[in-house]
Amino acid sequence: MSKPNKIKNSFIKLLKWTLYIILFLILCMFAIPSIFNDAIANEIKKGLNDNLETELQFDDSEISFFNHFPSLTFSFKEVNLAGTTPFEKDTLITAKELGFGINVFKLIFSNRVFINETYLTNCNIQLIKNKLGENNYSIFTATDTTETTIDTTTNGIRLNLKHINIENATLNYKDEETGISVTSKGLYYNGRGGLKNGKIKLGSKLEIESVNVTFNHIDYLKGKKLKAKSLTIYDTKNLSIELDENTIALNDLEVNFHGKLDVFDEGVSYDLLFNTEDGTIQDVISALPPEYATWSNDVAIQGDLDANLQLTGYSGTVPAESAIDRTNLELKIYDGNIKHKEAKQAIENLFIDLKGSLKNDYFDINVEKLEFKLDKQITSGQMIARGKTDSLYIKSKINTILDLSTLNQSLSLPDFNFKGKLISNISVDGIYEPKTSKFPKTNSSFKLTDGFLQTSQYPEPIKNIEIDAVVQNSRTNYDSAILKLNAFNFNFLNNNFKSTGFFENFDNPEYKITAKGAIDFTTLNQVIALPISIKKGTINADVNLKGQIQKSLTENTNTGTLEVKDIELTTALLQFPVLIKEGQFSFLNNKMAFSKLSINHQSSDATMNGYFQNYLDYALMSDGILLGDINLKANKIDITEFFPKEQVQPSLDSIVDTKTVHNVVNGVMQVPEKIDLTLQTQIDSLKYNLLNITKLSGTLAVKNKTLFLKNSTLNLVDGTAELEGVYQPVNAKEALFTMNFKAEDFNIEKGYNSVAIFKELAPAAAQASGVVSINYVLSGALNEEMLPIFNELKGKGTLKAHSIKFDGYKLMGKVSEKSGFKTLNNPDVSEITINSELQNNVLTLERFKFKVRPFKLRAEGQTTLDGEMSLKLRIGLPPFGLIGIPVVVEGNSDDFDVKVGTKSKDLDFLDATENSYSDEDLIRMNMLKDSIREGMTIDEINIMQQKIESIKLDSLPLPIQAIDSLNLN
């Protein structure tokens, strides 16, 4: 046979065998699903039921090679999967198809169902996490293993997700705990990976047609297209994640990033590096919110951009070597040009070269160059800032001549409209360090005229803005520094506000301040974010202040009034805002009086009259102390509202509703520093947890971050009492206190139920009724829940009981049983005087006597605040009690022994904590009471108030003359 024929025959045989194989494979593709359909369906359904907390519902199922060729895929059609408790009525996933790719060879040769692919098509995914930390997506049955492969039966299903494919998904994620929500449409995800040597390598591609992220009611990435490619390595042994070769694109902005995350038992640390090279300003604009993307369509934007950002940080508790907080940024923009299509002038030659870093609280910022040209005028600047906020080296030079109207036209930003003429010449070089009175050499001026600002947040603009400020310092100290605010004026809502200021020698400022006009903070905060804590309300000012901080108070001529209405203040010291409903401040030389100051804090309310001294020193100087005498009257004050609190979820075994969020005390109440105030108080109702005090009056002083209560009287549980005390927080979690308490006609039953410490000091009161008098001194520490630390308590005093009746008192019942004297059970006692001393959790009772007819009893011993007892009694027999029966009581108050004996053991004193406070600490704190400034009486305060208000302001010195500007070279 010729060679060509042999080749032809060989080719024909190859073709036939190829056709046979193809035909065989096609037959297998139809036969295998039919043969294994029931086995696969049963195993997958069983595996899902065993591993899912919720039930998977579907209309139909099928197995085929053709749904996701060439994979053999078992598919559920029209899927509905509900969320977990408490979201079982809400849908977690709905999908047209949920498919599982089967390993064919292992199916045929081992009769095992291996799933290594998952497909989700045309689906809607709703992920929810509520304020309690509960979520609807913890659908897999909890296990005690970290294996990535699930083996449900010996010959059953094995799940190893090497390939996950999601097509055309709508995903909504809402985290009520953090205030984050994510909405995305048109989501396509394709991820592949595997496990090797304890590391999972996962490569993925993600495309989203539209994504929106909302955080604290602010929209980010609104409507953006998102593309991402990533290679992620999970180290399952060390619980770390390496991000390598990752790229993310927001519209046209492409960012590369890599880094590492380490997961620890109680925290996580991260080190991430983001960079974009050869980008453009237009690319950045495309990644901004939609209104700016729309805006960019009408703006010609040119310019190149390079940026690098490194974020290193941690949250929770991590090892010391991982506890690093650092941010590095490098940004370059060059050859920039921006011009709106309707503008006549363009921003040209924009150049920015910035490098900055922040590590812990140390920052280093270097703006090597900032420059652009607008309407032939060049704005340029350089700045170096290096150090901490309290010790900072600054070198800066900025020169600006700008027509803000032209700039506004060139940009035509969608949310802002501004106008005015701006001229600035700023030159700073030196160290700013308030503690050492260092101030950099400065020769700067800033002038804005005909200013106008309007934002999309509020329809009315701020108009007629005029700012004329000059700062000069020829040397490097505070004493040579000068600040002149020749004008700070504006008009808002037809209210004109005008002010001037002059400050010379920052060590001991000589000042001249004028202010006249009204400010509506409620609407002003909607126009511009203010850097102060006033959130709403109005202020009407007409003041003239002139003098020098440390001069004789009679040489200062401060005059004028300040009226406030519905002012809401926020402070880090308080959980709730403070609302000043109304009030008026009057200035007279060294005093600032206030009257009818109505204040509300949550459910607490008070009215105050009085005056402040040293108010400018306090406001302007870092070491200034505010002095004052105040008359405070309150209908109700709830002390617990002033405690720091946090929201927590009840434990699962709690009998309360676990869906309810509870506010619990988390830290001790803080006291402002640099305040020396004396308050004469009259409070109708004072609430502290279950304790209700009425008609409290006395002197409350605030000094040295400490609260003092002196000469106070109060009504408590049907009796009157005198109380003096000191409270001093030592940090965010601990506080010291001392108190002297004297009470007459104290109702035992009500006291036991409403005064927590009374339960600890006198547990027998639970079965007693009658009246007692108490004279006790108590000192110690409070924990972060504002509760006493028992082993830190120290006290000494006397308790006198009158006409006491015990009903069902277990101790006396057992004594009666052991002795055989029935009279001792439920006894009536006419008079008992008990002296005791408390230290390190042990209450030592000095020997005391009392009568239970016909017996004379004597008792002494020790009890602990957690219920341990070691008591010695003597039952004196009639007629004179000369012959007595000794009795020893030992054990816990719930389970104790009563026996005849002569000796009882001493109880163990608890060791003090590491941070315990010595007797000297508490004595020193008590002595502070004697150092507080004696304030005026209520009558004296009222007379002073009336005197200041009655003075005719017209008769006072003339207002300050206008201040001339400094001429700068």
Side-chain angles (χ1 to χ4, degrees):
M1 184 181 293
S2 63
K3 188 176 180 179
N5 288 333
K6 288 183 178 180
I7 295 175
K8 180 178 180 181
N9 290 335
S10 298
F11 177 75
I12 291 173
K13 287 181 180 181
L14 179 62
L15 182 60
K16 285 181 179 180
W17 279 106
T18 302
L19 291 174
Y20 291 152
I21 293 172
I22 292 174
L23 181 60
F24 175 75
L25 291 175
I26 292 174
L27 290 174
C28 288
M29 293 177 70
F30 285 98
I32 290 174
S34 300
I35 295 171
F36 294 99
N37 180 51
D38 292 340
I40 293 174
N42 291 335
E43 292 298 341
I44 289 180
K45 291 176 182 178
K46 183 178 184 302
L48 290 175
N49 289 331
D50 289 344
N51 290 280
L52 290 179
E53 293 280 0
T54 60
E55 183 181 358
L56 178 71
Q57 298 179 348
F58 56 93
D59 290 348
D60 196 6
S61 64
E62 68 175 6
I63 183 170
S64 172
F65 278 99
F66 302 104
N67 286 342
H68 299 280
F69 185 82
S71 297
L72 174 61
T73 308
F74 182 87
S75 301
F76 293 103
K77 301 295 184 180
E78 304 302 332
V79 172
N80 188 301
L81 180 63
T84 52
T85 305
F87 305 96
E88 58 269 21
K89 295 183 180 180
D90 299 323
T91 299
L92 173 62
I93 298 175
T94 60
K96 185 177 181 181
E97 177 199 13
L98 171 60
F100 299 97
I102 313 296
N103 188 311
V104 177
F105 294 101
K106 291 186 178 181
L107 176 67
I108 295 173
F109 296 110
S110 67
N111 198 29
R112 297 284 302 273
V113 178
F114 280 77
I115 295 176
N116 52 20
E117 297 175 339
T118 300
Y119 299 91
L120 203 56
T121 306
N122 295 334
C123 58
N124 191 307
I125 305 171
Q126 303 285 339
L127 306 177
I128 304 171
K129 186 176 182 182
N130 64 19
K131 291 182 178 179
L132 304 180
E134 301 169 320
N135 65 70
N136 72 331
Y137 46 83
S138 297
I139 58 173
F140 292 103
T141 304
T143 64
D144 58 357
T145 178
T146 58
E147 291 290 333
T148 58
T149 301
I150 301 172
D151 188 355
T152 60
T153 65
T154 304
N155 296 312
I157 186 175
R158 286 181 67 86
L159 179 62
N160 192 350
L161 300 181
K162 292 182 178 180
H163 181 199
I164 299 175
N165 185 282
I166 300 175
E167 295 183 3
N168 192 26
T170 297
L171 185 146
N172 295 300
Y173 172 77
K174 185 175 183 180
D175 188 339
E176 296 178 353
E177 191 176 18
T178 60
I180 296 175
S181 64
V182 180
T183 303
S184 59
K185 297 180 180 179
L187 184 150
Y188 294 81
Y189 175 83
N190 193 333
R192 294 180 180 271
L195 176 63
K196 186 177 181 180
N197 297 328
K199 292 186 177 182
I200 300 174
K201 292 186 178 181
L202 178 63
S204 64
K205 291 183 179 180
L206 174 68
E207 292 188 15
I208 302 177
E209 294 179 359
S210 174
V211 61
N212 182 40
V213 178
T214 302
F215 178 60
N216 284 341
H217 308 292
I218 299 176
D219 288 331
Y220 301 89
L221 308 180
K222 190 173 182 181
K224 292 290 170 292
K225 292 182 180 180
L226 177 65
K227 294 182 180 180
K229 295 180 181 179
S230 67
L231 174 61
T232 305
I233 301 173
Y234 301 87
D235 188 337
T236 58
K237 295 180 180 178
N238 300 317
L239 291 177
S240 66
I241 302 171
E242 296 180 20
L243 304 170
D244 192 16
E245 300 178 14
N246 294 269
T247 302
I248 187 171
L250 291 174
N251 286 0
D252 299 325
L253 179 64
E254 188 171 286
V255 178
N256 302 310
F257 67 97
H258 62 272
K260 186 177 182 180
L261 291 90
D262 290 314
V263 182
F264 304 97
D265 291 339
E266 298 180 357
V268 60
S269 67
Y270 54 87
D271 187 2
L272 305 173
L273 180 63
F274 302 82
N275 67 80
T276 178
E277 296 179 355
D278 302 324
T280 67
I281 302 176
Q282 181 67 52
D283 294 340
V284 177
I285 297 297
S286 73
L288 294 177
E291 57 266 31
Y292 287 93
T294 303
W295 161 79
S296 67
N297 294 331
D298 296 327
V299 181
I301 302 174
Q302 297 176 349
D304 299 319
L305 175 144
D306 293 332
N308 292 285
L309 173 65
Q310 182 180 15
L311 298 174
T312 304
Y314 65 96
S315 63
T317 302
V318 301
E321 62 270 17
S322 299
I324 301 172
D325 195 355
R326 179 178 62 226
T327 302
N328 294 325
L329 173 65
E330 294 183 10
L331 174 66
K332 279 189 178 182
I333 296 176
Y334 41 93
D335 298 331
N337 281 274
I338 304 174
K339 181 179 180 296
H340 193 271
K341 66 180 182 180
E342 295 182 359
K344 296 180 180 179
Q345 302 291 336
I347 299 173
E348 300 175 312
N349 303 330
L350 174 62
F351 189 95
I352 299 175
D353 188 353
L354 179 151
K355 294 180 181 179
S357 68
L358 172 63
K359 184 175 182 180
N360 298 324
D361 58 350
Y362 184 91
F363 57 90
D364 187 348
I365 300 174
N366 186 359
V367 182
E368 293 187 1
K369 188 174 183 180
L370 168 62
E371 185 173 289
F372 65 88
K373 184 170 73 171
L374 178 64
D375 194 17
K376 300 180 181 181
Q377 297 288 346
I378 295 177
T379 294
S380 63
Q382 296 174 310
M383 185 187 75
I384 296 174
R386 186 179 299 122
K388 300 181 180 181
T389 54
D390 58 352
S391 181
L392 183 64
Y393 171 71
I394 305 174
K395 184 175 183 179
S396 177
K397 191 169 183 64
I398 301 173
N399 295 290
T400 303
I401 300 177
L402 267 180
D403 187 331
L404 298 182
S405 300
T406 304
L407 181 63
N408 183 50
Q409 292 173 5
S410 300
L411 294 174
S412 296
L413 296 173
D415 289 327
F416 297 94
N417 185 16
F418 51 88
K419 302 174 184 177
K421 303 285 186 181
L422 174 63
I423 301 174
S424 67
N425 187 345
I426 299 174
S427 178
V428 180
D429 187 2
I431 295 175
Y432 170 73
E433 195 171 61
K435 290 182 179 180
T436 58
S437 296
K438 290 183 179 179
F439 195 87
K441 289 185 177 181
T442 306
N443 191 4
S444 302
S445 64
F446 182 94
K447 190 169 186 177
L448 173 65
T449 57
D450 298 325
F452 177 100
L453 175 63
Q454 185 175 26
T455 69
S456 60
Q457 302 299 316
Y458 194 75
E460 292 295 324
I462 305 174
K463 300 181 292 186
N464 303 332
I465 304 172
E466 183 179 3
I467 303 174
D468 186 358
V470 175
V471 182
Q472 266 196 335
N473 188 21
S474 58
R475 299 197 301 272
T476 60
N477 299 316
Y478 263 33
D479 58 5
S480 57
I482 297 173
L483 166 64
K484 283 193 174 185
L485 185 63
N486 297 311
F488 178 69
N489 309 327
F490 62 89
N491 178 286
F492 181 60
L493 296 176
N494 295 321
N495 291 322
N496 286 313
F497 183 83
K498 295 185 176 182
S499 63
T500 64
F502 170 82
F503 302 93
E504 182 177 14
N505 180 3
F506 291 178
D507 272 332
N508 180 22
E510 180 180 348
Y511 60 87
K512 297 178 185 177
I513 303 171
T514 68
K516 186 170 185 177
I519 301 177
D520 185 337
F521 288 95
T522 306
T523 49
L524 188 61
N525 270 291
Q526 299 177 39
V527 180
I528 185 172
L530 299 173
I532 53 177
S533 59
I534 301 177
K535 298 302 179 184
K536 67 177 185 179
T538 58
I539 290 180
N540 200 318
D542 186 3
V543 298
N544 265 301
L545 311 178
K546 182 180 180 181
Q548 191 168 9
I549 295 295
Q550 295 179 3
K551 274 188 176 180
S552 171
L553 297 178
T554 58
E555 297 182 43
N556 297 330
T557 56
N558 302 325
T559 64
T561 59
L562 192 68
E563 296 180 355
V564 296
K565 186 174 180 63
D566 295 328
I567 290 291
E568 183 179 292
L569 301 170
T570 58
T571 171
L573 291 175
L574 299 174
Q575 183 184 12
F576 305 106
V578 176
L579 177 64
I580 305 177
K581 296 179 182 178
E582 61 179 348
Q584 177 175 301
F585 295 86
S586 302
F587 296 86
L588 179 62
N589 299 332
N590 66 311
K591 291 184 173 64
M592 179 176 68
F594 51 91
S595 60
K596 302 176 183 177
L597 202 61
S598 179
I599 297 177
N600 175 268
H601 177 263
Q602 195 67 353
S603 65
S604 304
D605 65 88
T607 301
M608 296 194 301
N609 298 306
Y611 69 90
F612 293 126
Q613 288 179 268
N614 211 41
Y615 52 90
L616 280 176
D617 190 12
Y618 174 72
L620 300 177
M621 306 296 291
S622 60
D623 57 350
I625 296 176
L626 181 66
L627 305 175
D629 286 289
I630 299 171
N631 176 10
L632 182 148
K633 294 182 179 180
N635 295 321
K636 176 186 176 182
I637 291 181
D638 187 343
I639 297 178
T640 59
E641 293 176 351
F642 296 87
F643 298 165
K645 296 179 182 179
E646 67 175 359
Q647 291 185 341
V648 299
Q649 176 187 359
S651 61
L652 295 177
D653 57 354
S654 174
I655 61 174
V656 299
D657 182 5
T658 58
K659 294 184 179 180
T660 303
V661 176
H662 293 273
N663 288 325
V664 299
V665 177
N666 182 35
V668 297
M669 182 177 67
Q670 298 299 303
V671 181
E673 61 179 344
K674 298 175 183 176
I675 286 180
D676 187 353
L677 300 179
T678 302
L679 296 88
Q680 303 299 328
T681 60
Q682 293 178 336
I683 302 173
D684 292 337
S685 174
L686 181 68
K687 184 178 180 182
Y688 174 64
N689 291 333
L690 297 176
L691 182 63
N692 289 297
I693 296 173
T694 59
K695 303 301 180 184
L696 172 66
S697 63
T699 301
L700 177 66
V702 184
K703 184 178 181 180
N704 297 332
K705 293 189 68 175
T706 306
L707 289 178
F708 304 89
L709 186 63
K710 289 188 67 175
N711 305 324
S712 65
T713 60
L714 53 93
N715 293 341
L716 179 66
V717 289
D718 296 343
T720 60
E722 298 177 6
L723 178 65
E724 290 192 352
V726 182
Y727 170 86
Q728 183 181 72
V730 293
N731 53 47
K733 300 294 184 181
E734 296 175 284
L736 295 177
F737 78 94
T738 71
M739 58 180 292
N740 300 351
F741 184 74
K742 295 181 181 179
E744 300 288 341
D745 302 326
F746 193 80
N747 186 295
I748 294 179
E749 291 177 284
K750 292 183 178 180
Y752 184 85
N753 292 323
S754 59
V755 184
I757 193 66
F758 190 63
K759 295 181 180 181
E760 311 297 342
L761 295 177
Q767 291 82 29
S769 60
V771 177
V772 298
S773 297
I774 300 173
N775 186 350
Y776 222 88
V777 177
L778 192 64
S779 302
L782 302 176
N783 63 16
E784 59 185 11
E785 296 180 356
M786 288 293 291
L787 296 175
I789 302 173
F790 286 159
N791 51 326
E792 297 287 349
L793 286 177
K794 299 174 184 178
K796 191 174 184 179
T798 302
L799 182 147
K800 292 183 178 181
H802 318 282
S803 303
I804 303 300
K805 179 176 177 58
F806 291 95
D807 186 8
Y809 185 26
K810 189 175 180 180
L811 187 149
M812 294 303 294
K814 277 199 173 186
V815 171
S816 173
E817 180 183 344
K818 288 285 185 179
S819 65
F821 301 130
K822 294 183 179 180
T823 309
L824 297 179
N825 190 27
N826 300 328
D828 292 338
V829 182
S830 59
E831 190 83 18
I832 302 178
T833 299
I834 304 174
N835 295 312
S836 64
E837 183 173 357
L838 175 66
Q839 186 166 4
N840 296 87
N841 196 51
V842 175
L843 182 68
T844 301
L845 306 174
E846 296 181 10
R847 179 175 293 182
F848 61 94
K849 301 177 182 179
F850 59 99
K851 294 180 181 180
V852 178
R853 292 184 180 181
F855 304 103
K856 294 182 178 181
L857 280 78
R858 187 180 71 198
E860 60 188 302
Q862 295 175 325
T863 67
T864 67
L865 299 184
D866 50 4
E868 295 295 322
M869 296 188 298
S870 180
L871 301 175
K872 185 168 61 176
L873 285 79
R874 180 184 182 277
I875 304 174
L877 301 178
F880 302 108
L882 297 178
I883 300 174
I885 300 175
V887 178
V888 172
V889 180
E890 291 181 338
N892 189 275
S893 57
D894 295 325
D895 184 17
F896 57 88
D897 292 327
V898 176
K899 54 187 176 181
V900 176
T902 58
K903 291 185 178 181
S904 61
K905 67 177 182 178
D906 290 336
L907 296 179
D908 294 331
F909 288 80
L910 288 181
D911 291 333
T913 60
E914 278 186 30
N915 298 323
S916 62
Y917 307 103
S918 65
D919 292 336
E920 289 76 14
D921 291 328
L922 299 173
I923 292 172
R924 175 182 49 80
M925 205 171 73
N926 255 324
M927 291 175 62
L928 286 173
K929 286 189 294 186
D930 300 326
S931 70
I932 65 173
R933 183 176 53 83
E934 293 294 335
M936 288 185 167
T937 65
I938 293 176
D939 291 338
E940 289 173 331
I941 293 172
N942 289 335
I943 292 172
M944 174 64 70
Q945 182 70 40
Q946 293 171 4
K947 179 180 179 182
I948 293 176
E949 291 181 346
S950 66
I951 294 176
K952 295 181 180 180
L953 296 181
D954 295 343
S955 64
L956 296 172
L958 294 176
I960 304 167
Q961 299 299 317
I963 304 167
D964 295 332
S965 300
L966 289 176
N967 295 320
L968 298 179
N969 296 326

